[in-house]
Amino acid sequence: MRRLTVGGVKRRLGRELFRATEALGAVPEGLQPVKPKEPFAAGFEGWLLRRGDRLAAPFPGAWRELPTPKTPPARVAVVVHVFFVELLDEILDSLAVMPIDFDLIVTNASGTPLEIDAARLARVGRVQIFDIANQGRDILPLLSLVNADVLEPYELVLKVHTKKSAWRKDHPDLPGSGEEWREGFLRDLLGSEDSIKKILGSFATDPALGIVTSTGSIVGPEFWGGDKEIVRSLLRRLQLELNEDSLQFASGSMYWIRGFVLQGLRALQTSEWDFEAEHGQVDGTTAHAIERLIGIVAREAGYELREPQDLSTAELAEEWSRYSRETVVEPRARAIPFYLPQFHTFPENDAWWGKGFTEWTNVAGAQPVYDGQNQPLLPSELGFYDLRAPGVRAAQYTLARSAGIEGFMYYYYWFAGKKLMDLPIEKLVANTDDEPFCIMWANENWTRRWDGRDANILIGQDYDKTPATEFIHDVIHLLKDERYIRIDGKPVLAVYRITQLPDFENVIRYWREFAEAEGLPGLTLLSVDVGTSYDGLGGDIRDHGMDAFLEFPPHNKHWAGWEREETDFDDRFQGNTLRYDSMVLQAELTMLEGVDDARYPGVMVTYDNTARRQWQPDLWWGSNPFTFRRWLNSTVSAVSHRERDQRVVFINAWNEWAESAVLEPTLRFGKSYLLAVRDVLYR
């Protein structure tokens, strides 16, 4: 039996009781689900109880039965929440001046069926109405749209709602009535075609702009009210800590916003259980807390909040048309994630680990080692795929292209002439699909501890048996493929631990000569920046005959310990805990000093190898889609001055599932990490 702390045992028992009572549907009096003794609905302990093992984000089941619109999505969505039906017409009248194609998404908590005449809105495309219970004001309906992936297509969102706010006329610190407040929002956020163009143009030209709200609506810590501890608890779900003095948010919950800031909220995994019943509250609820949290995560992602008078007064000309359907936008950089080809069986793994073993065996068996850990990290829409099956790789590339990713760098395993896990890339080369790729020779030992070191070796590198010069002969057919990723016209070839190769400078000289003899214009040779203690290079890499470093976090990055006194760990845990946010901050500071031309920077989604090493993992606490987005954006910005061909950044990783470094959709995060990449590349 798993040894747990007393708190862990209580949570396990409470979770089972919760599931049992929740399954009853309408729960009789006296059989309500077990809830922790927390002072608010969105408490962290309660969330742990409710998560269950599915780890998916909920939304009203009836929405699944709604037809999928046939009209392609626009780049801009307007989300309208309706409770006071009599106020809907003034919102629709305001939308009539929209100068750009948009989709209209309505959440209806009025209890009255709605019909909207799309003909009154000249530029509207999709019109979708989602009926929902009156709970959580406009916020739970918004998060339900996020959880249902309804907002996934959109780069910008205008969020408005039928707002009365009768309490405002008696508020001691806020001027005007609720009606005046509402009118101010509609005037500032819509108002006229020119004012909308100014807002759209500002989003198109100001990379720091994340939220635009009405004049006087951005407020700070003096407006915490009774929401501070609720926000603190919600942030724990994202592994973020609260800086209560830096609060800045858009009060009133009406604004233009980058789509990703909302899309990333899927990581909260909110449900109706997180929200109080409606009793006319004006403070101290989950809805009020998330109103504040949206400002916090926008800034965590690297964005700023502005009011109309603070927008750029520079001539914006036609920049607003950036968000039209017809505008073609190129990715800001060449983003290349690492790709693990392990997800299929092969004889050696059958012999070492048991018949049928793949990486999924480890992933599915992972147990959380602390409260709130994202384990097991499980796939969503791609499922537990087998790379031998037709269509899997095509689906991966479709997802990658949707985010602006150029292609994948496949780990390539070559042991003295013996190749392992080369089936996926050979199948790729054998087809004619548009699937850009390159390779990194992962020249380390395979061990039972998955650490590449010299103990417990399953299959090792033997450079005496077959010299490393021969490697180029076995991969030249890959490098010649027209889809192979190139820099300056030369195929990219990376080596993980370059100094492990005996006489490596002569080896790479031979590789270059052989490539040119085979008709290639040369090679772009990269060495992974693993640090000198891990068989990497120091100094100027070009002095050793290589072209550039390739960054592969967490290698050779800042490692700071995570003080975990307030977190409940399983008593069998013997691993290492580190802070993701500290690594990100140090990486950003380093990039501000400039990135050498002989370096291609990289970021990581996270690193947590609990799935491989269970009670002795290395894990980084603090990864979430917002912090990841900020790191990637800083990295792309650091190379933005380069010629486009040289604007290369690497991401760890596309599908390192047993290390939790995953851009692929997960039950826990959906597509939010992938959407962060899209937001950065198409900003």
Side-chain angles (χ1 to χ4, degrees):
M1 178 180 176
R2 179 185 176 191
R3 295 192 301 275
L4 293 169
T5 61
V6 171
V9 171
K10 288 182 177 178
R11 278 183 289 277
R12 173 66 61 84
L13 294 173
R15 186 179 298 121
E16 298 305 322
L17 287 169
F18 185 93
R19 290 178 191 155
T21 52
E22 187 178 29
L24 295 174
V27 184
E29 185 69 26
L31 285 178
Q32 296 299 318
V34 173
K35 296 180 181 179
K37 294 180 180 179
E38 293 180 296
F40 40 80
F44 186 73
E45 297 293 325
W47 176 67
L48 289 178
L49 288 175
R50 294 189 296 269
R51 287 177 75 190
D53 296 323
R54 293 181 179 271
L55 304 180
F59 57 91
W63 291 8
R64 299 183 190 276
E65 302 173 10
L66 298 175
T68 301
K70 296 180 180 179
T71 305
R75 283 179 161 148
V76 174
V78 177
V79 174
V80 180
H81 178 64
V82 176
F83 179 72
F84 300 108
V85 178
E86 65 273 20
L87 299 180
L88 177 58
D89 274 346
E90 70 175 351
I91 293 175
L92 296 178
D93 289 342
S94 298
L95 290 173
V97 301
M98 283 283 281
I100 201 165
D101 292 347
F102 70 98
D103 293 340
L104 179 62
I105 299 168
V106 179
T107 53
N108 177 28
S110 69
T112 302
L114 293 180
E115 291 186 9
I116 294 176
D117 180 9
R120 67 190 290 186
L121 302 172
R123 304 305 298 267
V124 77
R126 295 179 170 184
V127 177
Q128 295 174 275
I129 299 175
F130 297 88
D131 292 323
I132 193 167
N134 179 33
Q135 185 182 3
R137 306 295 167 85
D138 55 301
I139 298 296
L140 177 56
L142 176 69
L143 294 178
S144 297
L145 293 175
V146 170
N147 291 348
D149 295 330
V150 176
L151 301 187
E152 180 187 310
Y154 303 107
E155 297 179 46
L156 289 181
V157 173
L158 169 61
K159 178 188 175 300
V160 294
H161 56 108
T162 57
K163 187 179 190 68
K164 285 191 174 180
S165 304
W167 54 267
R168 185 163 176 119
K169 69 179 189 317
D170 298 321
H171 197 284
D173 302 316
L174 298 172
S177 66
E179 182 179 1
E180 291 170 328
W181 197 19
R182 181 180 71 252
E183 290 173 350
F185 278 118
L186 295 180
R187 180 183 62 250
D188 287 352
L189 301 181
L190 289 165
S192 69
E193 182 175 311
D194 285 343
S195 63
I196 297 172
K197 285 181 177 179
K198 180 180 179 181
I199 292 172
L200 293 174
S202 297
F203 275 108
T205 57
D206 185 350
L209 182 60
I211 297 176
V212 175
T213 190
S214 68
T215 300
S217 293
I218 296 178
V219 296
E222 67 276 16
F223 286 94
W224 268 120
D227 305 303
K228 186 189 305 180
E229 294 310 313
I230 307 176
V231 172
R232 191 190 309 276
S233 182
L234 287 165
L235 287 175
R236 285 189 68 187
R237 304 185 188 188
L238 304 176
Q239 298 188 356
L240 283 171
E241 294 173 338
L242 177 63
N243 181 346
E244 58 189 63
D245 296 326
S246 66
L247 177 67
Q248 190 179 55
F249 70 99
S251 64
S253 197
M254 294 200 206
Y255 40 70
W256 285 90
I257 190 168
R258 300 273 182 184
F260 168 71
V261 178
L262 298 180
Q263 293 152 4
L265 296 176
R266 191 194 183 286
L268 287 173
Q269 293 184 304
T270 50
S271 70
E272 68 273 18
W273 294 102
D274 288 307
F275 289 81
E276 301 80 2
E278 287 299 323
H279 298 301
Q281 305 97 315
V282 297
D283 185 33
T285 71
T286 303
H288 293 96
I290 290 179
E291 180 182 28
R292 288 151 175 78
L293 181 141
I294 287 172
I296 293 170
V297 297
R299 297 179 72 190
E300 179 66 25
Y303 282 125
E304 297 175 1
L305 290 70
R306 306 256 174 85
E307 296 177 356
Q309 70 275 12
D310 300 322
L311 300 180
S312 172
T313 56
E315 180 58 48
L316 297 177
E318 297 299 310
E319 282 85 352
W320 62 271
S321 65
R322 154 70 179 76
Y323 296 104
S324 70
R325 292 181 187 272
E326 299 77 21
T327 302
V328 177
V329 182
E330 295 294 328
R332 297 168 57 215
R334 305 176 65 188
I336 304 173
F338 301 112
Y339 184 103
L340 178 68
Q342 215 268 21
F343 300 94
H344 63 94
T345 60
F346 53 92
E348 289 78 7
N349 260 359
D350 284 349
W352 294 327
W353 302 104
K355 193 170 181 61
F357 176 90
T358 72
E359 194 81 327
W360 296 125
T361 311
N362 286 332
V363 171
Q367 300 178 51
V369 301
Y370 68 85
D371 283 346
Q373 186 186 17
N374 299 318
Q375 293 290 351
L377 187 67
L378 302 176
S380 56
E381 63 187 75
L382 293 181
F384 292 102
Y385 54 76
D386 186 329
L387 290 176
R388 298 170 299 180
V392 172
R393 196 178 57 253
Q396 291 174 320
Y397 272 90
T398 297
L399 281 170
R401 279 192 292 268
S402 73
I405 289 169
E406 178 169 335
F408 300 134
M409 175 171 275
Y410 285 71
Y411 302 142
Y412 198 85
Y413 297 95
W414 189 88
F415 300 88
K418 181 177 180 59
K419 292 178 279 188
L420 293 180
M421 299 198 311
D422 62 324
L423 181 146
I425 201 167
E426 294 295 350
K427 288 174 70 72
L428 183 161
V429 172
N431 74 25
T432 58
D433 296 336
D434 180 21
E435 297 176 346
F437 70 99
C438 57
I439 63 172
M440 175 177 71
W441 180 13
N443 65 320
E444 65 176 3
N445 299 327
W446 275 15
T447 72
R448 288 202 171 273
R449 287 180 54 82
W450 310 89
D451 58 9
R453 299 191 181 274
D454 298 325
N456 303 302
I457 294 175
L458 298 172
I459 183 171
Q461 299 293 334
D462 190 344
Y463 304 109
D464 293 330
K465 178 181 178 181
T466 303
T469 50
E470 295 300 305
F471 174 75
I472 194 71
H473 293 265
D474 278 355
V475 300
I476 193 66
H477 67 294
L478 304 177
L479 276 58
K480 287 182 175 181
D481 192 285
E482 63 181 10
R483 297 161 295 179
Y484 198 90
I485 294 171
R486 291 165 166 77
I487 298 177
D488 294 333
K490 302 174 183 178
V492 172
L493 179 59
V495 181
Y496 187 29
R497 301 171 70 174
I498 187 66
T499 66
Q500 195 181 84
L501 308 182
D503 195 17
F504 74 90
E505 292 183 359
N506 280 327
V507 170
I508 59 180
R509 187 178 298 114
Y510 176 83
W511 289 354
R512 292 187 190 277
E513 293 171 353
F514 182 81
E516 292 176 5
E518 288 290 314
L520 293 172
L523 298 172
T524 298
L525 289 175
L526 309 181
S527 175
V528 176
D529 184 17
V530 294
T532 55
S533 63
Y534 205 65
D535 298 326
L537 287 167
D540 191 331
I541 194 170
R542 291 164 291 197
D543 293 341
H544 300 281
M546 303 291 286
D547 293 302
F549 280 115
L550 175 166
E551 290 189 354
F552 190 16
H555 282 299
N556 216 23
K557 291 293 182 184
H558 177 69
W559 290 28
W562 171 34
E563 300 298 329
R564 55 181 195 262
E565 287 83 359
E566 297 182 4
T567 301
D568 191 8
F569 272 74
D570 189 289
D571 61 7
R572 287 171 287 182
F573 178 76
Q574 298 177 6
N576 299 308
T577 55
L578 302 111
R579 291 194 66 117
Y580 182 86
D581 56 350
S582 295
M583 179 180 288
V584 170
L585 179 59
Q586 190 59 47
E588 289 181 301
L589 293 173
T590 300
M591 284 184 290
L592 286 175
E593 300 172 359
V595 179
D596 190 274
D597 289 341
R599 177 175 292 273
Y600 296 108
V603 303
M604 72 177 188
V605 175
T606 190
Y607 189 94
D608 175 355
N609 61 358
T610 299
R612 285 185 178 154
R613 298 179 59 178
Q614 190 50 64
W615 308 116
Q616 296 179 315
D618 295 323
L619 59 89
W620 269 257
W621 180 89
S623 172
N624 61 81
F626 302 100
T627 309
F628 168 75
R629 187 263 168 209
R630 194 183 83 233
W631 188 6
L632 180 61
N633 183 65
S634 298
T635 304
V636 169
S637 298
V639 298
S640 62
H641 64 284
R642 298 179 179 177
E643 294 294 326
R644 174 166 179 77
D645 203 51
Q646 292 280 340
R647 230 177 289 160
V648 177
V649 297
F650 290 92
I651 302 175
N652 183 19
W654 176 259
N655 63 341
E656 272 280 14
W657 283 90
E659 295 175 357
S660 299
V662 175
L663 288 178
E664 289 181 330
T666 68
L667 286 176
R668 176 66 178 86
F669 295 104
K671 293 182 183 176
S672 52
Y673 280 101
L674 199 58
L675 294 172
V677 175
R678 185 184 72 178
D679 181 69
V680 168
L681 294 181
Y682 288 119
R683 189 193 66 197

